[in-house]
Amino acid sequence: MFLDSTGEQDPALIDCGAGGSWDDTMGYLGRAFEEARLSPASIRTLLFTHAHNDHINGLVSRDGNETFPNLNRILIPEAATATFTADASLSRFRTLLTPINHGDDVIPGVTAVALPGHAPGHTGYRLDTGEDTILICGDIVHVPARQFAHPALTWAYDDDQATARMTRLRVLADAAATGTWLAGAHLGRPGMGQVERIGDGYRFEEAR
């Protein structure tokens, strides 16, 4: 949970998945809310790492309704807004968009961090709890079974593979040196852990 501007505790969600309307094998965000004992109606602020379909289409449920009925703002990297607004199926959400950039304090304790290479405006969010630092790092790793041990390996869906490689190498080196927790969209459950440097690669230790 994050503190909102009024000082009340409201949960804020980072990315919302693909939604069942995009692919029948996806769209299990509702189940995740149940496991977290939260209601989608409690989400008023949504933050996006980028505007690929598997991160934004969860705005709409399988039945075509809005997943988050009380949503009142969407924080999105400025460079990703064109991709979002080009999706006609999400036109109803355009008035909620608030563009952000690297270094912006987006909500109390959370800072936007540019992670270029994967997609226009690809951005992570650094959460400082006072005891730990967590970087929600979006799509810097797609194939954890390979890319932690061999971080120079690139991925076909990265817009700029050379830049994405440099970003991954930098983030992993920093996380290993500082003990920063990493949370990624394509990591296995629970989706968060820490990295340890081993030779030219890393070992990812999942949170327990």
Side-chain angles (χ1 to χ4, degrees):
M1 294 212 181
F2 305 132
L3 291 177
D4 69 8
S5 59
T6 66
E8 300 176 355
Q9 284 191 319
D10 284 325
L13 183 65
I14 298 176
D15 290 341
C16 59
S21 61
W22 185 55
D23 190 308
D24 288 340
T25 66
M26 302 178 185
Y28 295 97
L29 185 63
R31 181 183 300 176
F33 268 96
E34 291 176 2
E35 292 177 357
R37 299 181 181 179
L38 293 172
S39 167
S42 68
I43 300 298
R44 293 179 172 82
T45 299
L46 181 59
L47 301 85
F48 284 132
T49 58
H50 59 298
H52 281 172
N53 287 342
D54 57 331
H55 293 255
I56 66 174
N57 277 25
L59 280 165
V60 179
S61 63
R62 289 179 183 272
D63 58 11
N65 292 322
E66 295 180 10
T67 303
F68 312 104
N70 294 319
L71 189 66
N72 57 30
R73 67 171 178 162
I74 297 173
L75 306 183
I76 185 170
E78 185 171 17
T81 55
T83 304
F84 186 99
T85 56
D87 189 336
S89 68
L90 301 178
S91 60
R92 72 184 94 168
F93 301 102
R94 291 174 186 169
T95 59
L96 303 183
L97 297 181
T98 298
I100 60 170
N101 289 286
H102 173 75
D104 287 351
D105 294 323
V106 291
I107 52 180
V110 180
T111 303
V113 179
L115 301 174
H118 174 61
H122 187 238
T123 294
Y125 297 96
R126 179 177 287 111
L127 167 63
D128 185 357
T129 70
E131 297 180 357
D132 292 296
T133 299
I134 304 168
L135 178 64
I136 294 89
C137 56
D139 284 10
I140 68 162
V141 171
H142 285 87
V143 188
R146 295 291 291 167
Q147 287 182 298
F148 282 113
H150 306 282
L153 289 176
T154 57
W155 177 248
Y157 290 102
D158 289 331
D159 284 353
D160 184 333
Q161 293 188 32
T163 300
R165 177 191 295 114
M166 292 176 62
T167 295
R168 181 167 47 258
L169 292 171
R170 172 176 54 81
V171 169
L172 294 181
D174 178 74
T178 63
T180 296
W181 292 83
L182 297 180
H186 295 280
L187 303 181
R189 289 174 67 97
M192 185 172 75
Q194 292 177 298
V195 293
E196 176 187 359
R197 186 73 180 255
I198 299 180
D200 293 330
Y202 300 86
R203 181 176 66 88
F204 181 66
E205 182 68 27
E206 296 175 347
R208 300 186 185 280

